[in-house]
Amino acid sequence: MNLRRLILVLTLCSALLPFANTFYAGYTVQRQQLIDTTQESNAAYARKLAQSTDDFLQSALQQLGYTAQLLAAHMGDEPMLTQEATRLRLQTKSFNSVTIYNPQAIVLATSPEALQIKGRMLDSAAVQESLRTRSTVISQAFMSAAGNLIVFISHPIFSPSGEYLGAIGGSIYLKQESMLNRLLGTHFYADGSYLYVVDKSKRIIYHPNPERVGQVITGNTVIDRVISGDSGYAAVVNSQGTAMLAGFAQVPSSGWGIVAQRPQQATLAPLDTLMRTMLYKTLPLTCVLLLVIWWGSRRIAQPLRQLANGAHTMDRADTAQTIQSVQSWYYEAQELKKAMLVGLGLLHQNMSQLRQDVSTDHLTGLGNRRHIDAALARFASQDIPFAVVAIDIDHFKHVNDTFGHGVGDMVLKQLAAQMRDVCRADDVPCRVGGEEFLLLLPKASLTDAAQVAERLRHLAEITELPVVGHITISVGVSHWPHCSPSQTTVFKQADDMLYAAKHAGRNQVQVYPS
C-alpha cells in the first residue's frame, strides 16, 4: 500500500466513522426520547382517566346515597320503591339496573322489572358484603343471578333512628352499553393504541375487544404493579405478541387498574421517516467531502511520490534538478512530529514519576498527606461515603530507644505491608507521620470498617517480628457522613477514638458511635 492509499483509507475512516456514530447516536437518543415521551403521556393519560373513573364512581355512590335517604321512611311501600329504582336508573343512566333489598337479601324492588328477581334472595358476594359491612361497596366483577357480568355498587339504607333497613344497589353491565363503557370507550385510537381496565382480581372489566371482558390476566407485570397500588409506565408485550409502551394508574375508590398503551412500532414510525430524510439531506455534502478527501490525499502524497520517482532515475542528469524542485514540507513536518512525540513522552514519564514521589511516603510506600487530600477531594466530588481508621503503634518510642531506628523502620514497613493485606483495591492506606497511620475505606459502612480495623489489630498482634518480637496497635474508627457531615470532624472523631483506645489499655479498636 502506497502513502496515498493509506492516507485515503485513514481519512475516510476518520470522516465516515464519526458520521455513522453521530447518525446512530442521534437515532438512539431520539428513539429513547420518543419512548420516554410516549410512556409518560400514557401514564399521565391513565392517571387522568383513573381520576375520571373515580369521579364517576363517587357520583354513582352519591346518587345511591340520595335515593337511600328518600327510601328510609318508605321501605314498605313497594310501588314507591319500584318508582325510585326506575327513576334512579333512567335519570343519569349510570346503572344498567337498580335493585333494592332488605337485610335478609330479599329483593323488594328492581328496575327494569324484566329481570324478574323481585322476591328472590340474592346470594352474590357483593350483596353479602354490603349486608355484612352495612356500608358502601364497589364490587369486583362477577356473574349476576340474571347471567350478566356486572360490577355492583351499593349504598346502605338506615332509618332516621339508625336502624339498618337494607341497601340499594346499581349494576353496571360490563358486556353491554353502560355509562362506564362510554366513559372508557371514547378514548380509542386508530394507530393500535387502546386502554383496558382490570379489577383487583385481575379480571378485565373493560376492553375495546368485548370478547376479552371477563378474562383474568396472569403473568403481566404491569397488572401486578397497578393492582398493588403502583402507577407509572413500562414496556410490555401484549397477548398478541406486540411490543407496547404502557402507562398505568389505579382508581382510588375501587382499586381498579387502568392501563393505556400504544404499540412501540407506531411510536417509532415517525423516527424512521425522520432518519431517512436526514440521510437523504446529508448525502450530497458527504459526496463532496469524499471528493475533497480524495484530492487532499493526492496532494499530501505527491512530494514523497516525486522523491520516490527521483530515486528510480538517479543516473539521469536532470534528477538533481527534479529532486530540488520537490516541495518536501511533508518530510520535515513528520520528523518534527516524531521529535515532539519523543519529547512529550519523556516529559510525561518524568511528571508521572514526580507525582508518584510527591504523594508517596518514601519509607513505607504508602500514601502521604497529599495522597489523602487527593482521595478526599475525589470522594467529595463523587459523594462517596467513607470510613476513617486511625492507627498508632503502641510504645513505638520504646522500640526506637531500645533497638534503634533501623529496627523501628522495619516495624513501620511491616505494619504498612499488613495494612495492604487487609485493604481492598479502592482503599487508601497512608502514613501521616512517625508511627501514625491512616486508612480510608470508601463505600464501607462503620461496621465494615470496624471489622477491617479488628483484622489489622489482630494481624499485628500475632505477627512475630525479628528482634522486636510482637507489637500491638491502637485503632480509632469513624465514618463520613454517618458520624458527622464534616470531613474534618470525622478525622478528629477517629483520632479521639484512637486516644480512647490508648487510655483504655491499648491493643484495641474503639469505634465512634453513629
Side-chain angles (χ1 to χ4, degrees), residues 35-48 189 193-194 232-233 244-249 258-263 267:
I35 290 175
D36 292 344
T37 301
T38 299
Q39 288 181 322
E40 291 171 0
S41 298
N42 285 341
Y45 180 51
R47 288 194 298 269
K48 180 179 179 181
Y189 297 96
S193 300
Y194 63 93
Y233 53 80
M244 308 292 289
L245 303 176
F248 52 90
I258 294 182
V259 182
Q261 54 188 19
R262 186 185 189 195
T267 299

Side-chain angles (χ1 to χ4, degrees), residues 20-255:
N21 180 68
T22 302
F23 190 83
Y24 173 75
Y27 175 83
T28 303
V29 171
Q30 292 289 338
R31 181 181 187 275
Q32 190 60 47
Q33 186 175 5
L34 280 174
I35 290 175
D36 292 344
T37 301
T38 299
Q39 288 181 322
E40 291 171 0
S41 298
N42 285 341
Y45 180 51
R47 288 194 298 269
K48 180 179 179 181
L49 198 57
Q51 184 60 52
S52 299
T53 304
D54 190 68
D55 292 342
F56 163 75
L57 295 176
Q58 294 299 326
S59 175
L61 286 172
Q62 289 178 0
Q63 297 173 41
L64 292 172
Y66 176 75
T67 304
Q69 291 180 358
L70 295 178
L71 298 178
H74 305 281
M75 289 298 285
D77 188 349
E78 291 188 6
M80 182 177 180
L81 295 180
T82 302
Q83 180 181 353
E84 281 300 309
T86 301
R87 180 195 63 78
L88 179 61
R89 179 175 67 88
L90 298 178
Q91 183 176 15
T92 62
K93 297 185 179 181
S94 297
F95 308 105
N96 295 91
S97 65
V98 176
T99 305
I100 303 172
Y101 50 93
N102 63 17
Q104 289 75 41
I106 302 299
V107 177
L108 303 179
T110 184
S111 177
E113 296 184 3
L115 295 176
Q116 297 182 353
I117 59 174
K118 184 177 179 179
R120 293 176 55 181
M121 177 182 290
L122 302 177
D123 59 357
S124 67
V127 171
Q128 297 302 318
E129 182 182 0
S130 71
L131 295 176
R132 184 179 67 256
T133 62
R134 297 185 177 184
S135 62
T136 59
V137 170
I138 300 176
S139 76
Q140 305 307 306
F142 68 95
M143 194 66 67
S144 70
N148 295 310
L149 183 64
I150 68 173
V151 168
F152 189 70
I153 305 175
S154 65
H155 195 286
I157 303 175
F158 291 96
S159 69
S161 61
E163 179 185 359
Y164 180 65
L165 304 178
I168 179 171
S171 300
I172 300 174
Y173 295 175
L174 299 179
K175 290 192 175 183
Q176 298 182 23
E177 181 69 19
S178 67
M179 181 66 74
L180 179 62
N181 189 283
R182 288 194 295 271
L183 173 65
L184 299 174
T186 56
H187 307 279
F188 183 76
Y189 297 96
D191 62 354
S193 300
Y194 63 93
L195 63 88
Y196 61 92
V197 184
V198 296
D199 62 14
K200 290 191 289 189
S201 61
K202 302 181 182 180
R203 185 185 301 274
I204 297 178
I205 62 176
Y206 170 78
H207 196 283
N209 181 5
E211 296 180 358
R212 297 292 306 278
V213 176
Q215 295 181 3
V216 177
I217 301 179
T218 58
N220 189 311
T221 57
V222 166
I223 298 303
D224 295 338
R225 290 177 61 184
V226 74
I227 293 304
S228 66
D230 193 9
S231 65
Y233 53 80
V236 294
V237 177
N238 67 6
S239 57
Q240 284 73 41
T242 303
M244 308 292 289
L245 303 176
F248 52 90
Q250 190 181 70
V251 179
S253 59
S254 62

Side-chain angles (χ1 to χ4, degrees), residues 263-503:
Q264 180 172 302
Q265 183 178 3
T267 299
L268 299 179
L271 178 61
D272 296 335
T273 302
L274 174 64
M275 298 309 291
R276 284 195 298 269
T277 303
M278 180 178 172
L279 182 61
Y280 296 153
K281 294 290 186 181
T282 55
L283 274 178
L285 180 60
T286 302
C287 293
V288 171
L289 178 62
L290 292 178
L291 289 174
V292 172
I293 291 173
W294 175 80
W295 178 83
S297 65
R298 287 179 57 88
R299 291 292 297 167
I300 293 173
Q302 185 176 5
L304 190 57
R305 185 175 67 252
Q306 291 174 343
L307 290 174
N309 291 337
H312 285 291
T313 59
M314 292 289 293
D315 56 339
R316 292 176 55 176
D318 59 346
T319 298
Q321 184 179 357
T322 301
I323 294 177
Q324 185 66 30
S325 63
V326 172
Q327 300 292 329
S328 57
W329 53 270
Y330 176 79
Y331 176 80
E332 287 78 10
Q334 186 68 14
E335 288 300 311
L336 180 59
K337 178 180 178 181
K338 289 181 180 179
M340 291 180 64
L341 289 176
V342 172
L344 287 174
L346 293 175
L347 179 61
H348 289 166
Q349 181 179 355
N350 293 335
M351 289 180 63
S352 177
Q353 184 62 43
L354 180 60
R355 284 194 296 266
Q356 179 72 14
D357 293 342
V358 168
S359 61
T360 303
D361 176 62
H362 70 282
L363 177 63
T364 62
L366 301 180
N368 57 17
R369 291 187 181 275
R370 290 189 180 89
H371 193 63
I372 294 174
D373 293 339
L376 291 177
R378 178 168 57 88
F379 296 162
S381 65
Q382 301 178 14
D383 198 23
I384 299 175
F386 62 91
V388 179
V389 179
I391 306 158
D392 189 87
I393 301 176
D394 296 331
H395 304 297
F396 183 71
K397 185 176 184 302
H398 175 74
V399 173
N400 277 337
D401 294 344
T402 305
F403 304 104
H405 289 282
V407 174
D409 290 346
M410 179 270 295
V411 171
L412 296 174
K413 293 178 181 179
Q414 178 63 31
L415 179 58
Q418 292 171 341
M419 289 176 65
R420 293 190 185 94
D421 290 340
V422 302
C423 281
R424 303 166 301 174
D426 295 335
D427 294 342
V428 183
C430 300
R431 180 188 177 201
V432 294
E435 70 274 23
E436 298 178 3
F437 293 81
L438 203 63
L439 186 57
L440 303 181
L441 306 177
K443 300 180 182 179
S445 66
L446 193 62
T447 301
D448 294 337
Q451 292 174 353
V452 172
E454 181 58 31
R455 287 201 302 270
L456 178 61
R457 185 207 62 78
H458 180 69
L459 182 61
E461 181 184 27
I462 65 173
T463 301
E464 184 172 357
L465 302 177
V467 182
V468 177
H470 294 273
I471 64 168
T472 62
I473 60 174
S474 297
V475 186
V477 182
S478 185
H479 190 280
W480 181 86
H482 293 303
C483 294
S484 173
S486 168
Q487 290 186 355
T488 303
T489 303
V490 167
F491 277 88
K492 186 177 184 305
Q493 290 169 350
D495 201 47
D496 291 343
M497 291 300 98
L498 170 62
Y499 283 104
K502 292 283 189 181
H503 293 316

